[in-house]
Amino acid sequence: MAITDWPVDERPREKLLQRGAAALADAELLAIFLRTGVKGKSAVDLARELLAEHGGLCALMAASQERFCRSHGLGDAKYVQLQAVVEMSRRYLAEDLRQRPVFASASATRQFLLAQLRQEVREVFAVLYLDNQHGLLVYEPLFYGTIDGAAVYPREIARRALELHAAALIVAHNHPSGVAEPSDADVRITKRIREALALLDIRLLDHCVVAGPEVISLAERGLL
């Protein structure tokens, strides 16, 4: 049955207008993005099939262009549109952090870090440089690899902080394994960064670990 033949309050677009986007399931949101289905399948049917094929919405959004376009009903145009949506979301979250202190909304900070790091397939170590009101100046990925295998240089973090006239910062990295629990290496590098920054009277506010849908705060764990 075509979506236009569904009861009005069950159609994704109408449901969103009446109840808000949060009321929609992943397949319904994806169906709105797809706009149309394929022969024999509504947009919702196609969306459900794609989510099952890729293993969920996050995996679909993180898929490479080649993998994305192999799916029935998708192609370069849809890939470009989806990447534009993802990047707009990241920029929206960054702008939100620039307009108010990061700890005025811990959830906004976590959502920003999830948007930036959750889909990375390699480990990325990044820094949020903050002004004296703890508003976001710059978000920068600085190091790649693993904390044990690829060097994380506190002096480089400190040097960039001085260039930006940052008063404080938050460091963050992802665990592609999907396990967010901080490692001993995470704790050690946090201590080294904190000590390097203290010499310059710059505060390290937190070290966050992103894995899957989780963001673990070392500050909240008493490990900072």
Side-chain angles (χ1 to χ4, degrees):
M1 182 186 296
I3 291 177
T4 52
D5 295 328
W6 293 11
V8 173
D9 59 355
E10 293 182 13
R11 300 174 193 171
R13 292 179 185 177
E14 285 76 5
K15 186 176 178 181
L16 186 150
L17 291 172
Q18 293 173 4
R19 299 170 56 186
L24 274 65
D26 289 352
E28 293 172 314
L29 291 169
L30 183 57
I32 292 175
F33 169 78
L34 294 171
R35 296 182 59 192
T36 60
V38 295
K39 186 175 181 180
K41 297 177 184 176
S42 70
V44 174
D45 292 331
L46 177 59
R48 288 173 179 152
E49 183 178 285
L50 291 171
L51 291 174
E53 177 186 343
H54 285 265
L57 189 58
C58 184
L60 175 64
M61 295 175 72
S64 67
Q65 181 179 0
E66 179 184 3
R67 175 67 184 89
F68 183 89
C69 295
R70 284 206 306 265
S71 298
H72 184 52
L74 301 180
D76 290 339
K78 289 296 184 187
Y79 178 79
V80 168
Q81 290 174 16
L82 183 60
Q83 293 309 305
V85 169
V86 171
E87 184 57 28
M88 284 192 294
S89 298
R90 289 174 177 154
R91 296 186 187 190
Y92 164 78
L93 292 168
E95 186 174 335
D96 187 44
L97 290 184
R98 290 189 182 100
Q99 293 175 350
R100 54 180 170 172
V102 293
F103 287 122
S105 177
S107 62
T109 304
R110 290 172 186 266
Q111 288 302 311
F112 174 78
L113 291 174
L114 279 170
Q116 295 291 340
L117 297 172
R118 181 178 182 179
Q119 297 175 5
E120 293 285 351
V121 295
R122 58 178 173 171
E123 192 161 310
V124 179
F125 194 96
V127 183
L128 287 79
Y129 292 97
L130 311 174
D131 61 23
N132 56 12
Q133 300 298 316
H134 294 172
L136 180 65
L137 291 169
V138 173
Y139 166 85
E140 286 188 354
L142 290 182
F143 310 107
Y144 299 88
T146 65
I147 286 184
D148 283 325
V152 173
Y153 297 108
R155 65 177 179 272
E156 290 299 316
I157 296 172
R159 179 188 61 79
R160 185 63 173 139
L162 290 174
E163 288 179 356
L164 294 168
H165 303 289
L169 53 84
I170 294 171
V171 297
H173 76 283
N174 64 315
H175 283 177
S177 66
V179 179
E181 197 64 27
S183 67
D184 291 340
D186 296 340
V187 177
R188 288 195 300 270
I189 194 61
T190 302
K191 181 179 179 181
R192 289 174 53 205
I193 294 169
R194 186 185 69 237
E195 291 173 349
L197 293 173
L199 296 174
L200 304 172
D201 198 27
I202 299 172
R203 292 185 61 202
L204 177 63
L205 301 181
D206 205 349
H207 183 172
C208 296
V209 181
V210 176
E214 289 188 272
V215 180
I216 301 296
S217 162
L218 269 69
E220 292 179 357
R221 292 282 187 90
L223 299 173
L224 193 61

